[in-house]
Amino acid sequence: MTDVDESSKAAKRNRSQSSVAVRNFIGGRFTAAASGTTIPDIEPGTGEVMASVPDSDERDIENAVSAARQAFRAWSNTPAAERSAMLLRLGDLIEGNLEELARLEARDGGKPISLARRLDIPRAAANFRFFATAILHQSTEAHSTDGTALNYTLRQPVGVAGLISPWNLPLYLLSWKIAPAIAAGNTCVAKPSEFTPLTAHRLAELSLEAEIPPGVINIVHGHGQKAGRALVRHPDVPLLSFTGGTVTGAGVAANAAPMFKKLSLELGGKNPNILFADADLEEAIATSIRSSFWNQGEICLCGSRIFVERAVFDAFLDGFVEATKRLRVGDPLDETTDVGALISEAHLQKVSGYLEIAQKEGGTIHTGGKRVDRPGFFVEPTVITGLSCDSDVLQDEIFGPVVTVTPFDSEEEALALANGTRYGLSATVWTRDLRRAHRVAAALDSGTVWINCWLLRDLRVPFGGMKESGVGREGGFESLNFFTEPKNVCVKL
Ligand code: NAD
């Protein structure tokens, strides 16, 4: 028997578990939605229902906000060192349950289990540990005003934080919000994506084990248009951290605006990956395979527009297409899978629509270009050349395993092409020329620029997007600043 046979058998064993009934987590208790109805949670790798999700509405949000408000005073007065210890425990519990959480994430979101093990779950644990420590080092400023007054700044928690997260990195991004929010002394109501509720449900259980007091973390599941919208519009939620699509983000901003809520929006991207002729081609190809196809291209930071200096265009394309062909598309629970399933049939149809546009517009598809003929929502990793940069394929966020490769002749042209979208989330630049690296980094419309790397993250750095990729920054002290309100106190001497 081959290794591949063994791992697909193991994948089947991993799936032989009964379907999960996800519940809301409000005031430390698990409850059904007030509506009494549920939403089916479909497993992308099989297309079958694997769990039921509470179909929550404004009544559940009301209960959760009320629980969070009740818990706020005690939690915000808990010494930072005690809050920190609880967050550290939660980080340890996530790590201690890594295998189970990785399996849940792979089944729920369609991502390869190897990626969930390597990226999603360790980073969720790291988020709790990082903010547990960061809160102990947050400092504020004081100014003596010509000997006549002393000014100092208090950084106070805001109250109940509303946290809305997407399906592509479910626990990773949920913890990216919950950890700084509660570390800073807020309580929270989180609304995970209705497509991927399972690790959020498990996180709620682990928060009880970590002895985080009831009401500090509340999780309400359900549709964005119902539960999410109610959270955004709730008058007792003064702060919202939202990660999701740009169109949804615009709606969140519009609903929040009349109440002047503090807002952080982490939105979509259409990120450039720029390769100059002097780059290390081998390393650039290996990393570009990850930045193109990791998580099926469903990472906001994926570099879906590759621009290559003409002198090395053919060499890059040959190597890149060959490496793409070697990727194994398959069962997310299979240990040997490189590319799993897209999140849903609807999303697969959206991605397929762009493959049709590419064909209609005369693009050359070097590999991929089709749905994979098996149950579930699989698309072949696809490499396209020959499209105009005005094409929707190069302008819209496809959020799938589809990249374009386009030649350029000068640094100036590369910058114009890279900046020629409405997005500005991240960019990668490949070059050995130090001066050019810094020059190009400064000129890119992008919240993050990676030089000769991709997704190398340091949690201390600011993270966020320009243009339609978002408003505000999170990460490190940017997050702690966002989740607190600065108050100036002026004492006359
Ligand atoms: P989405 O916008 O459809 O949903 C995100 C969340 O918002 C979900 O929990 C959803 O239920 C909720 N929601 C939907 N409508 C709502 C409404 N009217 N009011 C309040 N909440 C609502 O996004 P998605 O499809 O889940 O995720 C993919 C998108 O997220 C991509 O565009 C991707 O680029 C983006 N993303 C951005 C980042 C970043 O850091 N910038 C990170 C990950 C994903």
Side-chain angles (χ1 to χ4, degrees):
M1 187 173 295
T2 64
D3 287 352
V4 174
D5 291 338
E6 276 297 354
S7 55
S8 62
K9 268 193 159 183
K12 280 199 187 99
R13 276 199 302 278
N14 273 335
R15 197 166 270 123
S16 63
Q17 286 173 349
S18 54
S19 122
V20 185
V22 173
R23 300 285 192 100
N24 288 335
F25 182 62
I26 298 178
R29 289 163 188 267
F30 288 95
T31 59
S35 66
T37 55
T38 58
I39 307 164
D41 178 19
I42 312 278
E43 180 171 355
T46 62
E48 287 169 17
V49 175
M50 67 173 292
S52 60
V53 192
D55 183 10
S56 308
D57 58 27
E58 64 278 0
R59 290 169 290 178
D60 306 285
I61 292 292
E62 183 58 49
N63 292 340
V65 172
S66 159
R69 285 190 73 193
Q70 275 174 38
F72 176 66
R73 185 183 285 270
W75 182 249
S76 58
N77 286 317
T78 300
E82 285 179 32
R83 295 200 301 264
S84 172
M86 290 182 234
L87 265 72
L88 288 173
R89 279 204 295 273
L90 189 49
D92 289 349
L93 283 161
I94 291 172
E95 192 176 73
N97 290 276
L98 186 143
E99 198 47 41
E100 182 205 351
L101 289 164
R103 201 177 61 239
L104 287 175
E105 213 70 300
R107 286 193 67 190
D108 212 9
K111 68 180 68 221
I113 189 161
S114 56
L115 187 66
R117 238 184 237 136
R118 175 174 172 186
L119 179 78
D120 295 72
I121 311 306
R123 290 203 181 187
N127 285 337
F128 281 103
R129 288 176 174 152
F130 175 83
F131 287 108
T133 314
I135 195 64
L136 303 178
H137 299 277
Q138 195 184 25
S139 56
T140 58
E141 63 204 287
H143 304 279
S144 166
T145 312
D146 299 329
T148 60
L150 178 66
N151 280 280
Y152 62 91
T153 306
L154 291 176
R155 280 252 159 221
Q156 297 177 310
V158 180
V160 180
L163 312 175
I164 301 178
S165 52
W167 48 258
N168 65 327
L169 302 166
L171 190 64
Y172 176 4
L173 291 177
L174 186 67
S175 56
W176 175 245
K177 298 182 183 305
I178 291 180
I182 67 171
N186 304 282
T187 56
C188 70
V189 176
K191 211 299 282 170
S193 170
E194 58 274 34
F195 291 101
T196 49
L198 296 185
T199 47
H201 184 67
R202 193 72 187 100
L203 182 72
E205 292 173 342
L206 295 177
S207 77
L208 289 175
E209 269 186 65
E211 294 176 16
I212 293 178
V216 172
I217 298 174
N218 303 277
I219 300 179
V220 178
H221 296 274
H223 287 299
Q225 286 293 350
K226 230 194 263 180
R229 192 165 183 272
L231 180 58
V232 169
R233 292 166 66 94
H234 199 292
D236 294 329
V237 177
L239 173 150
L240 294 165
S241 171
F242 171 86
T243 300
T246 292
V247 172
T248 319
V252 167
N255 279 327
M259 283 174 267
F260 303 102
K261 297 192 178 207
K262 205 171 178 190
L263 205 57
S264 164
L265 299 171
E266 308 267 355
L267 308 177
K270 185 73 182 176
N271 310 304
N273 179 6
I274 309 162
L275 190 127
F276 287 95
D278 66 341
D280 179 333
L281 205 58
E282 204 179 313
E283 191 186 349
I285 289 173
T287 305
S288 298
I289 287 289
R290 294 206 312 277
S291 68
S292 302
F293 302 121
W294 251 21
N295 211 41
Q296 305 71 247
E298 295 168 326
I299 299 182
C300 55
L301 303 166
C302 278
S304 52
R305 293 181 299 141
I306 305 177
F307 298 108
V308 184
E309 194 163 1
R310 202 174 296 275
V312 291
F313 184 82
D314 290 341
F316 174 86
L317 188 64
D318 288 351
F320 185 70
V321 168
E322 275 317 303
T324 305
K325 286 180 179 163
R326 286 198 296 272
L327 292 172
R328 283 158 302 202
V329 183
D331 188 336
L333 289 183
D334 190 325
E335 299 292 336
T336 62
T337 291
D338 298 308
V339 178
L342 297 185
I343 189 67
S344 64
E345 177 67 34
H347 188 52
L348 184 145
Q349 292 305 330
K350 177 189 148 182
V351 173
S352 302
Y354 285 101
L355 298 175
E356 279 166 29
I357 294 174
Q359 264 156 353
K360 267 194 213 131
E361 292 181 357
T364 304
I365 296 184
H366 295 264
T367 180
K370 296 190 301 295
R371 179 179 196 154
V372 180
D373 184 19
R374 57 176 289 163
F377 317 126
F378 297 86
V379 168
E380 295 169 343
T382 302
V383 182
I384 307 170
T385 59
L387 292 177
S388 145
C389 287
D390 299 333
S391 165
D392 287 348
V393 178
L394 278 95
Q395 288 296 320
D396 297 350
E397 184 187 45
I398 298 175
F399 221 52
V402 179
V403 293
T404 56
V405 190
T406 309
F408 67 84
D409 290 302
S410 66
E411 183 180 313
E412 199 183 10
E413 189 193 359
L415 276 169
L417 295 173
N419 286 339
T421 72
R422 56 189 182 279
Y423 295 106
L425 190 56
S426 73
T428 285
V429 181
W430 294 96
T431 180
R432 288 185 168 107
D433 180 336
L434 195 61
R435 289 181 179 165
R436 174 156 57 202
H438 290 294
R439 204 166 52 226
V440 172
L444 283 166
D445 299 341
S446 186
T448 296
V449 179
W450 281 295
I451 307 292
N452 297 327
C453 61
W454 176 75
L455 207 58
L456 203 55
R457 291 275 290 124
D458 181 325
L459 297 186
R460 291 169 296 186
V461 305
F463 177 80
M466 296 181 179
K467 294 160 49 176
E468 292 190 20
S469 288
V471 177
R473 292 291 181 273
E474 294 186 30
F477 291 109
E478 301 277 351
S479 286
L480 293 181
N481 286 345
F482 172 68
F483 284 106
T484 52
E485 198 73 82
K487 182 187 285 174
N488 170 241
V489 180
C490 176
V491 184
K492 188 179 173 199
L493 297 177

